[in-house]
Amino acid sequence: MPEGHTVHRSARLLGELLHGEPVAASSPQGRFADSAERIDGQPLVAAEAYGKHLFLDFAQELTVHVHLGLYGKWTSGHTSPPLPKGALRLRLATSHGWADLRGPTACDLVTPPERAAIIARLGPDPLRSDADPERAWRRIVGSRAPVAGLLMDQSTLAGIGNVYRAEVLYRARLAPLRPGRDVGRPAWDAIWADLVTLLRSGVRAGRIITTRPADRERGSGRVRREDAHYVYRRTGLPCRVCGTPVRTQLLLTRNLFWCPSCQGDLSVPTGV
DNA sequence: GCTAAATGTTGAT
DNA sequence: TCAACCTTTAGCT
């Protein structure tokens, strides 16, 4: 499930798995074959996530830039790798383990300036210690666009996807179509702090859980899939808190989910 | 078993 | 505005 938490988790995993010796690289599918040949045999220097972008830095200033998109996925293991099957874009392996990449939107060899340019166009990433939330605030407070769109705009904030967007707005009780400039500083501070909490929790758990125990059918124990969210993909179901049916609407080609009672209908403000 | 939709972005039209 | 990427899952028959 590729929002920012997934990519940070992959960076950590790949760094551990491939550290310390030359990496065997191949592209059984062929679409990354020339580039795989260039990194084949080079050691991995660092694996870094920035928003939804992953950078695998090899020796000789060779960086593999990966963006999973909607379907992309890493699979990995510590034993010997399985026979390649399906569309396998990239396989990386050391004696410690292997990692397979399938279905990414982007998998490119980039130069240091290209790497820097990708990061330069991203907003602050709540999972990074070097993140500056003021940058995002200035963009939001200066915009008439709906806050729901701004949260998903990677140049405003990096790493937020449709699930975190819907859920953080619900938790802030904020109407998704309220203009950015009407969000208010206290609400923004609460949203940023909540994103840091939620994304870190996502990295730890490997999944997005945003409900508080008191708002679940079963408060404790393993959280069931249908109990993990407040509004995301719950169209027509009763709001966990107030019982009002959850609504959905297309915004910039993506489905937006919200509770019209807890958050206010469309742009009608309710407080935080 | 089949179909549609999905956590996202890019590049062509 | 739309197809492509390619996999997984939900929902239906």
Side-chain angles (χ1 to χ4, degrees):
Chain A
M1 295 82 189
E3 294 194 25
H5 68 300
T6 308
V7 182
H8 279 261
R9 199 176 159 89
S10 298
R12 190 184 297 179
L13 178 74
L14 292 168
E16 287 166 8
L17 203 58
L18 304 174
H19 180 74
E21 55 182 287
V23 174
S26 60
S27 178
Q29 173 203 48
R31 282 187 54 178
F32 193 64
D34 292 349
S35 300
E37 208 168 298
R38 292 185 60 194
I39 57 171
D40 185 43
Q42 300 290 344
L44 183 71
V45 174
E48 183 182 9
Y50 203 121
K52 298 170 189 169
H53 296 259
L54 174 70
F55 300 96
L56 298 174
D57 297 322
F58 290 87
Q60 311 295 324
E61 297 196 325
L62 296 166
T63 294
V64 177
H65 166 236
V66 175
H67 193 295
L68 293 176
L70 191 54
Y71 314 112
K73 194 170 191 175
W74 286 99
T75 51
S76 63
H78 290 278
T79 56
S80 57
L83 282 175
K85 69 168 191 268
L88 180 49
R89 186 78 60 89
L90 173 62
R91 168 168 285 179
L92 301 171
T94 65
S95 64
H96 304 303
W98 54 273
D100 285 355
L101 173 65
R102 292 167 208 277
T105 287
C107 177
D108 310 295
L109 207 50
V110 296
T111 63
E114 288 167 337
R115 184 192 196 285
I118 292 165
I119 291 172
R121 58 170 209 252
L122 296 173
D125 172 353
L127 282 172
R128 291 181 61 96
S129 55
D130 59 6
D132 175 16
E134 288 298 318
R135 273 174 65 211
W137 168 244
R138 287 195 292 271
R139 290 279 298 263
I140 290 166
V141 77
S143 174
R144 279 174 292 183
V147 60
L150 293 166
L151 289 180
M152 289 258 299
D153 173 359
Q154 301 299 301
S155 66
T156 299
L157 273 169
I160 313 306
N162 206 10
V163 182
Y164 281 120
R165 175 266 287 272
E167 295 295 301
V168 82
L169 285 171
Y170 180 83
R171 286 165 59 102
R173 303 296 194 269
L174 199 64
L177 296 190
R178 188 190 293 202
R181 65 182 182 186
D182 297 335
V183 165
R185 185 65 196 234
W188 162 250
D189 288 341
I191 286 172
W192 175 266
D194 205 27
L195 285 172
V196 172
T197 302
L198 291 175
L199 281 156
R200 282 183 185 164
S201 151
V203 174
R204 243 185 344 264
R207 57 188 289 219
I208 301 176
I209 297 168
T210 59
T211 47
R212 296 184 174 86
D215 297 327
R216 294 178 201 133
E217 293 278 325
R218 213 181 313 169
S220 57
R222 195 194 281 114
V223 179
R224 294 176 300 174
R225 193 202 317 273
E226 62 268 32
D227 269 350
H229 310 133
Y230 283 103
V231 290
Y232 177 72
R233 290 251 254 171
R234 287 176 54 80
T235 311
L237 293 172
C239 169
R240 294 181 183 283
V241 174
C242 78
T244 303
V246 171
R247 290 184 53 177
T248 186
Q249 178 186 309
L250 220 49
L251 175 71
L252 302 171
T253 79
R254 307 301 300 278
N255 278 314
L256 179 60
F257 305 87
W258 82 102
C259 170
S261 175
C262 291
Q263 298 174 255
D265 196 26
L266 303 182
S267 61
V268 179
T270 56
V272 169

